[in-house]
Every structure is written in structure tokens, then in C-alpha cells.
Amino acid sequence: MKMIVGLGNPGKKYDDTRHNVGFELIGELARRWHADGFRDKHQAQVAEVVRAGEKVLLVAPQTYMNLSGVSVRLAADFYKLTAADLLVVCDDFNLPLGTNRMRPKGSAGGQNGLDNIIQQMGTSEFARLRIGIGPVPPQWSTVDFVLGKFSRDEQENADQAIRRAADAVECWIAEGTTAAMNEYN
């Protein structure tokens, strides 16, 4: 079993914000895979599907970004998953808009949701896929930027990055992190 976790903040106030590209990725995968059975479970919205012969959990934590690890830990414990079964998808304002970067492990890199997952899981040895939303314009605060919405001009690039990230997730499930990195970074 694999678990794909898309990070974001719950509630209409945060819909379509830059910080919620992880939720958007979960939505894209759900559309592709016809996963319409989301349930409230483990302080998250969770759906189960089968892809490439493997059961896959789509998880959108409802704990707010900075406490995402609570939901991830609950789901991982319930399903008896290890860090090797986990792929976390989040925004990254240090990457240019439209850029995706998958890694097999690493630091939080200033992403508070990733940081909380590392704390809760007790390891940074899990795959992560960062979707670029940057750069932060000099006149903006980082918080206002990530909680802001894409401009009309930016939205097409963001949508394309999310579709490409979904392709990378499908590759990760079928062929592993290295193959997905080689193809989609």
C-alpha cells in the first residue's frame, strides 16, 4: 500500500491558494482515477484506490498545514505503513512557478507542513514532491504570498504543474522515486 499526501489548508477561505497545490494534486488524481469515495478519517479526507496493482491512499489532511503530520501519523499507524510507503506533495515558494521537484528524502526546507510530518514520523526518509509556486515578489510577505491566489496569468502554469505532478505520482507508484525523478524533475 502507498499513501499520497497532498498538503493544504481546509476551508473555503483557502480554496485555490498557492499553499493548497497539494490539495489540488489530490483532486487531480481523484478525477483521473475516479476516486469519489472520500471519507473523514484520521483527521483527513481519505480515499482508497488501486493503481498499478497496488492499493493507494489519497490523503488531504484537515489539520491545517502546520499540523499535517498529526494526520499523516494517524493514517500511517492505522494502515501500518512505513516512511517508504509515503509520498508528500506540497508547495514550494523557492521553486519557480510551474517547476516540480521530487526527492527520495530531505529536509523540510522551510515548509512547515513537511517539518511537522518529519517530526511526527520521526524521520525525513520519505519521498516528497514539491510544486513550485514562486518566487515571492519583493513587495510581498511570504505568508501573504502563499495564502494568496494565482493571478489569471499564473493559473495556467499552476494547472500544468499540477497535471505534470500527477503524472510524476503515477510514475512513482509504478516505477519508484528514481524513475519519477529522472522523468519529471
Side-chain angles (χ1 to χ4, degrees):
M1 177 181 279
K2 300 287 186 193
M3 180 165 59
I4 313 300
V5 178
L7 300 187
N9 286 315
K12 290 196 182 295
K13 175 181 176 181
Y14 300 105
D15 283 353
D16 301 319
T17 61
R18 291 177 183 91
H19 220 21
N20 276 25
V21 294
F23 280 6
E24 295 295 323
L25 179 273
I26 294 295
E28 173 66 19
L29 292 172
R31 281 186 291 282
R32 285 183 183 195
W33 301 344
H34 308 289
D36 54 4
F38 280 88
R39 300 180 317 261
D40 290 322
K41 197 171 183 179
H42 315 298
Q43 296 183 37
Q45 286 285 301
V46 179
E48 296 181 24
V49 297
V50 175
R51 299 303 299 171
E54 177 143 29
K55 188 181 277 191
V56 178
L57 297 175
L58 296 176
V59 178
Q62 301 296 293
T63 54
Y64 290 94
M65 179 71 73
N66 294 354
L67 296 174
S68 297
V70 173
S71 176
V72 172
R73 175 86 264 161
L74 289 170
D77 286 351
F78 181 83
Y79 291 101
K80 297 176 179 39
L81 301 176
T82 67
D85 303 315
L86 175 63
L87 173 62
V88 176
V89 182
C90 63
D91 64 288
D92 189 329
F93 61 78
N94 292 310
L95 290 176
L97 178 63
T99 303
N100 294 332
R101 182 175 297 148
M102 182 174 284
R103 294 286 185 259
K105 60 184 178 179
S107 72
Q111 216 290 349
N112 291 334
L114 267 180
D115 186 47
N116 191 252
I117 293 169
I118 291 168
Q119 290 174 23
Q120 291 290 322
M121 294 294 288
T123 183
S124 62
E125 303 278 323
F126 56 85
R128 71 273 324 270
L129 175 57
R130 296 173 185 262
I131 299 174
I133 62 166
V136 178
Q139 68 274 22
W140 285 59
S141 76
T142 302
V143 171
D144 288 342
F145 181 75
V146 300
L147 295 179
K149 297 182 187 258
F150 292 108
S151 71
R152 195 172 303 142
D153 294 338
E154 295 171 321
Q155 191 64 59
E156 186 176 331
N157 280 341
D159 291 343
Q160 185 177 33
I162 290 165
R163 288 189 300 271
R164 187 163 168 80
D167 294 341
V169 170
E170 290 179 328
C171 182
W172 178 79
I173 292 167
E175 301 176 47
T177 306
T178 301
M181 287 171 52
N182 289 339
E183 180 73 23
Y184 294 98
N185 279 0

